[in-house]
Amino acid sequence: MTTTDLADVTASDAALRRFLHGLPGVDAVGLQARAAALGTRSIKTSAKAYAIDLAISMIDLTTLEGADTPGKVRALAAKAARPDPTDPAVPRVAAVCVYSDMVATAKAALAASGASGTSGGAGIRVASVATAFPAGRAARSVKLADTAEAVAAGADEVDMVIDRGAFLSGRYMTVFEEIAAVRQACAGRAHLKVILENGELATYDNIRRASWLAMLAGADFIKTSTGKVAVNATHANTLLMLQAVRDFRAATGRQVGVKPAGGIRTSKDAIRYLVLVNETAGADWLAPEWFRFGASSLLNDLLMQRHKLRTGAYAGPDYVTVD
């Protein structure tokens, strides 16, 4: 798919609709069976140790609660920089994800620890949810102001939510234009992650269409969910999104990342997702630049399993912090 082809696809609402509805239909039974089969793969101890460290390095350590305080965000940033203070070999996480009003606090805390990064450089990024997260029910001007505030505060990444109401109503161009406008509001200073909220899209066909729509509009990452609805990341819907980014790169030459979020709590589950990545999109996506976990409690289990592999015994209940 050339630049001209992309322009043709997005030239009008009708052209965009034809393209999205022309994508191959999803075999739901086959998709779920494939996800289940990959989930049974076992890996050797040495590979497990590598996978645990890789998963730690892919975490967007997240707090998105109304009760968030500067102190909680500073503590989260400290944990992101040194997940296990007793073991400097434990890798840092990829990012700290907060609301926009906490971006400056997170940025300052990471800078003080020497762990601050940028959207294109080393170190821990600060990601901010935006666009009236999690529901996205606000005027576009409000969503763009929300994004601009996060970027001005120093966000390296912005996690936006699509307008699911517009998408489910078939107003695809409205969704496309909003994503493109948010990308422009990132002003080249922040990477854009587009949250599809798969649990509200109802069908696998819709998830495939929303994935392609977000990528066509310029998403750097596509993300499964907000973590605020009943159905968040699943192996099947993440597998479908991995297929989408693989096929999009084959068609356009542009690589897009994937971020499952919500409900991923154990090392065993995280490793299953890494198997999905390797077997579906390929090894090119097995890096924090291209795959992330949106999580809060996952890091604790990864640290405990890492300690078990290293020492042969599980740590006591005080080994990890209570988030």
Side-chain angles (χ1 to χ4, degrees), residues 36-304:
L38 291 175
T40 64
R41 295 279 179 90
S42 60
I43 62 174
K44 296 180 180 179
T45 300
S46 57
K48 184 176 180 181
Y50 171 78
I52 286 173
D53 276 4
L54 181 59
I56 291 172
S57 75
M58 291 173 162
I59 290 176
D60 283 2
L61 195 58
T62 302
T63 183
L64 296 170
E65 303 298 334
D68 286 344
T69 64
K72 182 178 180 181
V73 170
R74 284 192 286 268
L76 197 74
K79 185 171 183 176
R82 289 290 301 273
D84 182 353
T86 70
D87 186 357
V90 176
R92 296 169 172 174
V93 305
V96 171
C97 185
V98 294
Y99 278 109
S100 60
D101 63 321
M102 291 292 176
V103 167
T105 299
K107 199 79 175 176
L110 290 172
S113 70
S116 184
T118 66
S119 61
I124 300 172
R125 284 76 160 169
V126 173
S128 174
V129 294
T131 64
F133 176 96
R137 307 293 347 141
R140 186 175 299 180
S141 59
V142 174
K143 295 178 182 181
L144 295 179
D146 192 17
T147 303
E149 178 183 341
V151 174
D156 306 300
E157 301 173 353
V158 168
D159 289 29
M160 71 165 288
V161 290
I162 67 167
D163 184 336
R164 282 88 75 192
F167 181 88
L168 292 170
S169 300
R171 292 182 285 127
Y172 301 133
M173 186 56 71
T174 296
V175 180
F176 175 90
E177 290 174 345
E178 187 161 279
I179 295 170
V182 173
R183 179 176 176 82
Q184 186 173 9
C186 289
R189 294 159 57 189
H191 284 172
L192 178 62
K193 303 196 202 86
V194 178
I195 306 170
L196 309 182
E197 199 67 292
N198 289 341
E200 294 185 346
L201 296 185
T203 70
Y204 289 129
D205 284 337
N206 277 342
I207 294 170
R208 175 170 282 171
R209 290 170 188 147
S211 296
W212 275 83
L213 177 57
M215 293 187 289
L216 287 168
D220 295 302
F221 265 76
I222 50 175
K223 179 177 171 181
T224 62
S225 35
T226 62
K228 303 293 186 181
V229 298
V231 178
N232 292 289
T234 69
H235 296 135
N237 65 36
T238 303
L239 173 58
L240 180 56
M241 292 168 65
L242 287 165
Q243 291 172 345
V245 298
R246 176 200 64 198
D247 295 345
F248 184 80
R249 188 179 73 168
T252 69
R254 187 167 75 86
Q255 187 164 336
V256 176
V258 175
K259 178 180 172 180
I264 306 170
R265 298 184 177 89
T266 68
S267 300
K268 184 176 182 179
D269 204 20
I271 291 171
R272 285 173 176 169
Y273 278 98
L274 295 182
V275 171
L276 287 181
V277 175
N278 188 62
E279 296 296 322
T280 307
D284 286 352
W285 271 266
L286 282 174
E289 291 78 17
W290 304 109
F291 193 77
R292 300 281 183 85
F293 294 105
S296 54
S297 60
L298 172 62
L299 179 57
N300 282 350
D301 193 71
L302 288 165
L303 292 173
M304 292 180 68

